[in-house]
Amino acid sequence: MSNRTRPSVWVLNGPNLNLLGTREPTIYGAETLADIEAKCRRVGDALGVDIRFHQSNAEHQIIDWIHQTRAEAHGIVINPAAYTHTSVAIGDALRACDLPVVEVHLSNVHQREAFRHHSYVSAVARCVICGAGSDGYEYGLRYLAKLLGDATE
Ligand code: DQA
């Protein structure tokens, strides 16, 4: 990554993740979204990666951010939350942007209700991480930093 500008990774978060810390802490943990953002920024600094961090409860806003990544980002870490299981549109937006995508879930969705076992994002993602709590974001950033670094060697 030495001879180019720092890669930019956008970390996108879907509905209800703004409630982390108080929302079902036995499933999602005690950390707030602000804690997770701070962790992503620390990891990004250590890896030499610029981080843009967003959360929205609105599907169209998430889609608009994905469209923006086409011009402004080198990779995406996304926790689409419940839209994972419902949104063909978010899957299509990610497919259209042609950037490496990491899908992250705090909980292990495969140990939960059957409706959480299907994802419209996994088929587009290079890497899927679930059940590692907020560390999943860190692992996703490390994966993308290595991928983007290798691509420039
Ligand atoms: C989640 C899992 C989804 O099934 C759920 O709708 C969420 C959060 C997770 O991070 O574990 O809101 O994406």
Side-chain angles (χ1 to χ4, degrees):
M1 281 172 213
S2 48
N3 284 328
R4 69 197 283 251
T5 52
R6 282 158 63 100
S8 171
V9 172
W10 286 32
V11 183
L12 302 178
N13 294 278
N16 302 308
L17 294 175
N18 54 312
L19 300 181
L20 287 176
T22 56
R23 174 197 182 199
E24 300 183 273
T26 53
I27 296 175
Y28 297 117
E31 283 172 288
T32 64
L33 193 64
D35 295 331
I36 294 176
E37 177 174 358
K39 173 184 277 199
C40 288
R41 293 195 184 285
R42 274 197 306 276
V43 172
D45 280 349
L47 294 170
V49 170
D50 282 337
I51 302 293
R52 283 277 294 270
F53 193 96
H54 292 299
Q55 186 275 332
S56 179
N57 296 323
E59 189 175 20
H60 73 88
Q61 176 61 81
I62 295 166
I63 292 166
D64 285 348
W65 282 326
I66 294 169
H67 291 177
Q68 245 182 295
T69 63
R70 287 157 55 103
E72 298 179 37
H74 299 93
I76 298 172
V77 172
I78 185 166
N79 181 348
Y83 289 141
T84 307
H85 319 298
T86 63
S87 181
V88 174
I90 287 178
D92 279 352
L94 290 167
R95 201 168 279 111
C97 80
D98 203 26
L99 293 176
V101 173
V102 178
E103 175 184 352
V104 171
H105 301 283
L106 296 155
S107 63
N108 182 345
V109 286
H110 300 290
Q111 290 179 339
R112 301 182 62 196
E113 304 95 320
F115 69 83
R116 296 185 204 274
H117 298 176
H118 179 261
S119 166
Y120 285 102
V121 171
S122 296
V124 192
R126 292 276 191 112
C127 168
V128 180
I129 302 167
C130 74
S134 70
D135 286 346
Y137 288 76
E138 173 174 349
Y139 303 150
L141 289 171
R142 289 189 185 283
Y143 171 82
L144 282 179
K146 183 161 190 309
L147 191 75
L148 296 168
D150 287 350
T152 62
E153 280 165 9

